[in-house]
Amino acid sequence: MRVGGRLTWGRRARAGAVLTALLAGVVPPAVALVPAAATAGAAAGTPVCQVRDDRLREISGMVATDDGYVVINDGADDEARRRIFFLDQRCAVVRTVSFPSRPRDTEDLAIGRDGTVWVGDIGDNDRTRTTVGVWRLAPGAKQPVLHRMTYPDRPHDAEALLLDASGRPLIVTKGGSGTVFLYAPSTALRSDATTPLTALGQVTVPTTTTSNPFSFLGRGVITGAASAPDGRRVVLRSYADAFEYDVPDGDVVRALTTGTPRITPLPDEPQGESITYSRDGRSLLTVSESAGQAAGTRSTILRYPATATTLTAAPSTESVDPVTPTSVRPAAGEVGGVDGRTWPLAVGAGTLLVLLGLAGVLWWRHTVRR
């Protein structure tokens, strides 16, 4: 959110965190050298509706419901925006639910099969939080209930929340170089105690070349996640792409850590941090923050075709491309036989200078007054 043309502390911290990761070597030069050109054949999403409420300028999480959408804002700087917002099918706010205490950094939403809404209070740009949390809003409840959790190793910044087949929340860390980590509560959540999290594995998302406002940096972080209504697919998103995984046996963790995703480019979304499935499971829905964009810009929910599942496909002896939509393509490592992650990491002082220059440009883009 911009105030008087300047970035809030949260946005400055996000930009600084990305730059720190880059200069510290978390983002390898191999990724930095991937071209920033838009993916060939990538189609923009189809507008569904426009969010015109001024309180919703930093939408960071969204789920679809039978009669509309539920959304939350990133951060907690403004009291009027620290709410769970329920929208109708035209994106108009029909009601809000307040938090009983101030959340720290709400980043994503998930919805259970019984209609329970889960809010991931899991953002930690500076990686200093001793606990993170999820807020559970049961159907008909007047306020959500907070459940605090703590990581087993160190603080992590995270912006993606999923539910497994049992309804257990899964946190997907944001990462920085295309590798992210999964965590889940080790025991049943309690509102009166802090629950330890346990590490469940890691996910390495494919390298792409999809155009986005943050160039190569935007392709290596995970900013949102969602489960299909039938539980047979899950999707992770970056600022640039959506990665869909089949979940044939209900094991979300296994699907993410061992599966190969199908990729839907989300080209040039302004700051895409939200994704969900439509209620019929046929579409992916996304929305970006509008803060910091040109005057008059409103967040718009966009629709993309969900990729065709391979769960019921019969085994084939032929080498056939399973993806038919032009907006969906295989992982970058399968295109032209080149995998960007296998490029040499040590390319000399010239690469370092390029990285420093890119870092300076990015920092300028995030801090300059408009």
Side-chain angles (χ1 to χ4, degrees), residues 46 167 313 318 367:
T46 302
E318 299 178 328
T367 57

mmCIF file of all heavy atoms in Angstrom, residues 46 167 313 318 367:
data_model
loop_
_atom_site.group_PDB
_atom_site.id
_atom_site.type_symbol
_atom_site.label_atom_id
_atom_site.label_comp_id
_atom_site.label_asym_id
_atom_site.label_seq_id
_atom_site.Cartn_x
_atom_site.Cartn_y
_atom_site.Cartn_z
ATOM 1 N N THR A 46 -8.801 -13.871 -18.668
ATOM 2 C CA THR A 46 -10.052 -13.224 -19.033
ATOM 3 C C THR A 46 -10.639 -12.529 -17.806
ATOM 4 O O THR A 46 -10.837 -13.170 -16.771
ATOM 5 C CB THR A 46 -11.062 -14.261 -19.553
ATOM 6 O OG1 THR A 46 -10.500 -14.933 -20.683
ATOM 7 C CG2 THR A 46 -12.373 -13.601 -19.937
ATOM 8 N N GLY A 167 -7.978 -31.908 6.157
ATOM 9 C CA GLY A 167 -8.272 -30.548 6.593
ATOM 10 C C GLY A 167 -7.145 -29.895 7.365
ATOM 11 O O GLY A 167 -7.310 -28.803 7.893
ATOM 12 N N ALA A 313 -6.104 -40.582 -17.342
ATOM 13 C CA ALA A 313 -5.579 -40.889 -18.674
ATOM 14 C C ALA A 313 -5.014 -42.310 -18.709
ATOM 15 O O ALA A 313 -4.356 -42.771 -17.788
ATOM 16 C CB ALA A 313 -4.492 -39.890 -19.050
ATOM 17 N N GLU A 318 3.186 -43.968 -26.757
ATOM 18 C CA GLU A 318 3.693 -42.952 -27.655
ATOM 19 C C GLU A 318 4.159 -41.741 -26.877
ATOM 20 O O GLU A 318 3.724 -41.500 -25.751
ATOM 21 C CB GLU A 318 2.604 -42.526 -28.649
ATOM 22 C CG GLU A 318 2.106 -43.649 -29.540
ATOM 23 C CD GLU A 318 1.011 -43.172 -30.466
ATOM 24 O OE1 GLU A 318 0.261 -42.277 -30.055
ATOM 25 O OE2 GLU A 318 0.916 -43.679 -31.580
ATOM 26 N N THR A 367 11.101 1.726 -4.646
ATOM 27 C CA THR A 367 11.179 2.824 -3.664
ATOM 28 C C THR A 367 10.982 4.198 -4.264
ATOM 29 O O THR A 367 10.800 5.158 -3.524
ATOM 30 C CB THR A 367 12.560 2.803 -2.969
ATOM 31 O OG1 THR A 367 13.598 2.903 -3.948
ATOM 32 C CG2 THR A 367 12.743 1.516 -2.179
#
